[in-house]
Amino acid sequence: MNFDPYALSPGVTVHTHACGEDGIFVNAYLVETPKGVVAIDATLTRSTSKALRARLDALRKPLLAVLITHPHPDHVAGLTHLVDDDATPIHATADALALMRQLEAPKRAQWTPVFGDEWVQQWRYPNRVVAHGDSLRLDGVRYTVHDLGRGGDSDANAIWLATPEAPGARPVAFLSDLIFHGVHSYLADGGVLDWLVNLEQVGALCTDCALAFPGHGAPGPVARLVEAQRRYLMRYLVELKTVAAGLPRGARLDEPRRTRLTEAMRLASPGAGLEFLIGLGADAVLDELRATAPAVSEPMTRAAA
């Protein structure tokens, strides 16, 4: 499914390239301007990234640059098929670039048995490093990066604001996987508490934005998407703490408890895709909850007795 194009200003249009379940419902974006196109992120598999490239080619304009939000494979593996030369600028933060290099080999080993020939075996890497607050001006649009670090679905999250340089034009925000809209969130890297903090930052940074474009799901108003994501994360913490009650410290969820968590989150988000992510993230989030809980020392326990 692809969502309707969104006009930022006369001559500036955002095209959402939304993948289906085979591409884990990820979005990539093409910002079309009079003289070219800027891509925000790529997709996961050979087929979905080649489809993104075909959509770019159909616009019959050159690819001016690619902007990367974070280093997870569903947003960067497809760079191999989206970009066909070494000259096209691919912009990312230093942390995102470093994590891409760390992740390529283990993710290839983990997911090739699942995706087979669809897994992109050799990644293309960013060739331009940007820092927090940097702005790029590309064919009448200013793109500003905000490096939020840990606290999204990875350890290196950035958002990009795009503002047409036209009178009265409002920016839009590319929030990537700080927002999962209509699908369950990837929590296996932990960092949920930092994620909640970053959502507050997003709200402050994006008060003037006309629209938010998430990493998964339909675009929408910033405040609504941020609040929905905040509610999802808080509900996950509540349900996880409930099903983990009585477990010895350090123990993992057994399958009955994991099933109860999945059922609870399914009820909380009816119809949401990627249900397998619910259980996948449980252990990492449980470790985070335990790390923030005050420990009772042995001497205090004896004194209380």
Side-chain angles (χ1 to χ4, degrees):
M1 170 180 185
N2 285 311
F3 304 105
D4 291 337
Y6 179 82
L8 272 68
S9 66
V12 181
T13 301
V14 178
H15 304 274
T16 303
H17 186 77
C19 297
E21 188 172 11
D22 60 332
I24 60 173
F25 300 114
V26 72
N27 294 334
Y29 297 97
L30 300 174
V31 182
E32 181 186 8
T33 53
K35 296 179 181 178
V37 180
V38 172
I40 291 93
D41 287 345
T43 61
L44 177 64
T45 64
R46 291 177 69 251
S47 294
T48 58
S49 57
K50 288 183 176 181
L52 176 61
R53 177 68 204 202
R55 195 161 183 201
L56 169 66
D57 291 340
L59 297 177
R60 300 183 180 277
K61 294 178 180 179
L63 181 61
L64 303 177
V66 183
L67 313 180
I68 298 301
T69 60
H70 73 290
H72 276 173
D74 53 330
H75 293 264
V76 301
L79 286 170
T80 296
H81 299 297
L82 175 63
V83 180
D84 56 11
D85 61 71
D86 294 332
T88 300
I90 304 173
H91 300 270
T93 65
D95 285 345
L97 175 57
L99 275 173
M100 275 186 68
R101 296 194 183 280
Q102 292 177 27
L103 289 173
E104 181 181 6
K107 293 296 185 183
R108 180 169 58 238
Q110 178 183 7
W111 292 110
T112 297
V114 177
F115 285 92
D117 291 342
E118 279 295 310
W119 189 260
V120 179
Q121 292 295 310
Q122 186 172 358
W123 292 0
R124 179 182 289 275
Y125 285 89
N127 51 26
R128 304 286 193 280
V129 173
V130 290
H132 178 72
D134 284 353
S135 288
L136 313 170
R137 286 175 168 79
L138 299 166
D139 195 24
V141 179
R142 184 176 73 255
Y143 299 88
T144 303
V145 64
H146 295 278
D147 184 1
L148 302 184
R150 178 170 171 78
D153 77 339
S154 85
D155 288 340
N157 299 279
I159 65 172
W160 288 86
L161 305 188
T163 309
E165 295 179 330
R170 295 174 64 193
V172 294
F174 295 92
L175 301 182
S176 192
D177 284 2
L178 284 163
I179 302 293
F180 285 74
H181 185 198
V183 298
H184 292 281
S185 298
Y186 177 85
L187 303 172
D189 285 358
V192 174
L193 301 182
D194 288 327
W195 194 336
L196 289 166
V197 172
N198 279 343
L199 289 174
E200 293 297 314
Q201 290 187 274
V202 166
L205 289 168
C206 301
T207 53
D208 294 332
C209 290
L211 203 66
F213 294 91
H216 300 257
V222 174
R224 178 165 62 83
L225 295 191
V226 166
E227 177 57 19
Q229 185 66 51
R230 187 194 68 79
R231 287 199 308 269
Y232 179 93
L233 295 175
M234 292 301 295
R235 183 65 177 268
Y236 192 97
L237 293 175
V238 169
E239 299 296 349
L240 179 60
K241 187 172 182 179
T242 300
V243 301
L247 275 178
R249 193 171 184 89
R252 298 307 190 195
L253 292 187
D254 53 32
E255 283 310 308
R257 292 172 190 261
R258 204 174 296 268
T259 298
R260 284 167 51 200
L261 174 64
T262 298
E263 291 174 349
M265 292 307 298
R266 183 187 296 129
L267 289 173
S269 302
L274 304 181
E275 284 188 3
F276 76 95
L277 294 180
I278 300 171
L280 186 66
D283 290 337
V285 180
L286 187 56
D287 285 344
E288 184 177 5
L289 282 175
R290 287 167 170 163
T292 60
V296 178
S297 68
E298 187 65 22
M300 287 177 63
T301 303
R302 285 198 298 267

